[in-house]
Amino acid sequence: MSADTAIRVLGVEKAFQGLPVLRGVDLDVPTGSILALLGSNGAGKTTLVRILSTLLMADAGTAEILGFDVAASAREVRESISLTGQFAAVDDLLSGRENLMLVARLRHQKNPDAVADDLLARFGLTDAGRRRASTYSGGMRRRLDIAMSLIGDPPVVFLDEPTTGLDPEGRLEVWQTIRTLAGKGTTVLLTTQHLDEAEQLADRIAILHDGRIIRKGTLDELRALLPTASIEYVEKKPSLEDVFLAIVGPTD
């Protein structure tokens, strides 16, 4: 496994009670890139993420994170990754800052106060840092959740449908957070059902269907699979998202 590849999956299979979910998945994710794993419900996206994050054993095949085998070197893999699930795992009774300090202590950081303050600043939550998380909007909760997962600066981050249940503003907040992560060199594997999310964020896209990766490549490479439509005149109308943001104003 070269230094240019952060995640490598070869022939991974998984079945539950005799029902195949993954049927030989092959996948490479370049270091410092965002890969969007697209698929409908039941396609096997979360199962693959759970295998890569050492929460589930594959029935066959191999997977490596930064050269560490997820089965044979699970401890090293866990030290190299972070996983954010579909729903924000924050404690509503604690403030944003207290949530961050709690995780920093659990991960044996030397200065939890400084770690919390740095992440609040990085994720635009400083002003809300001393408020209870229960008062946060959906986008703020998700940003806090991702911030908590980054304590210790893991080089590889798994985001399993991170915009589930968010309104348009919240989605845009999370999108910007993901762009910032990749801009700092973090490798991101993002699972999503939303085509626009993959289009906006991903360097490369993989389509998981019926337990297999059936297509993968850049957006331009995938677009090239279809013939170009001939259009003589296009009148661009504002999208619903444009209208919504123009009415409500910029995100706080």
Side-chain angles (χ1 to χ4, degrees):
M1 185 171 182
S2 72
D4 294 332
T5 303
I7 302 170
R8 173 157 292 167
V9 181
L10 293 173
V12 165
E13 300 178 9
K14 184 65 182 179
F16 295 100
Q17 297 180 342
L19 179 65
V21 176
L22 300 177
R23 303 167 183 262
V25 172
D26 297 324
L27 188 64
D28 286 344
V29 183
T31 301
S33 69
I34 301 176
L35 182 130
L37 185 62
L38 288 177
S40 58
N41 281 333
K45 303 186 302 297
T46 297
T47 298
L48 180 60
V49 168
R50 287 174 60 82
I51 290 171
L52 292 174
S53 55
T54 75
L55 298 177
L56 194 64
M57 290 288 292
D59 296 334
T62 61
E64 296 180 359
I65 308 292
L66 301 178
F68 297 113
D69 185 277
V70 298
S73 304
R75 178 177 177 180
E76 289 82 358
V77 169
R78 293 188 191 112
E79 291 173 348
S80 303
I81 67 169
S82 173
L83 170 63
T84 298
Q86 296 182 22
F87 303 99
V90 302
D91 190 324
D92 284 340
L93 297 179
L94 300 180
S95 69
R97 191 171 188 273
E98 289 168 340
N99 269 284
L100 290 165
M101 289 178 62
L102 174 63
V103 175
R105 291 191 182 104
L106 290 173
R107 296 189 179 177
H108 308 292
Q109 297 294 297
K110 292 182 179 179
N111 193 338
D113 291 299
V115 170
D117 289 338
D118 174 62
L119 285 167
L120 288 171
R122 282 174 57 187
F123 286 83
L125 294 170
T126 298
D127 291 343
R130 297 189 182 277
R131 283 168 37 198
R132 280 191 177 186
S134 60
T135 68
Y136 285 14
S137 68
M140 292 170 68
R141 286 169 61 83
R142 182 53 97 181
R143 278 188 284 155
L144 176 61
D145 190 33
I146 295 174
M148 290 164 60
S149 73
L150 295 181
I151 291 174
D153 295 319
V156 177
V157 173
F158 298 109
L159 301 176
D160 191 11
E161 302 195 19
T163 60
T164 295
L166 295 185
D167 60 23
E169 286 180 291
R171 290 185 75 203
L172 292 178
E173 290 176 15
V174 172
W175 286 3
Q176 185 55 48
T177 297
I178 295 170
R179 292 188 186 101
T180 301
L181 285 179
K184 294 180 179 295
T186 303
T187 302
V188 178
L189 191 153
L190 163 77
T191 75
T192 183
Q193 300 179 58
H194 303 296
L195 303 184
D196 61 333
E197 192 157 275
E199 190 170 359
Q200 288 288 330
L201 295 174
D203 300 305
R204 298 182 64 80
I205 297 166
I207 300 174
L208 183 63
H209 180 70
D210 197 26
R212 295 184 177 90
I213 301 292
I214 58 171
R215 289 287 188 275
K216 54 188 174 183
T218 66
L219 180 59
D220 286 342
E221 288 170 344
L222 295 180
R223 280 175 171 163
L225 296 173
L226 296 178
T228 303
S230 178
I231 301 176
E232 295 181 2
Y233 175 76
V234 175
E235 179 181 352
K236 184 183 184 300
K237 295 182 180 180
S239 67
L240 182 58
E241 184 173 272
D242 294 331
V243 174
F244 178 88
L245 293 175
I247 292 172
V248 303
T251 302
D252 291 336

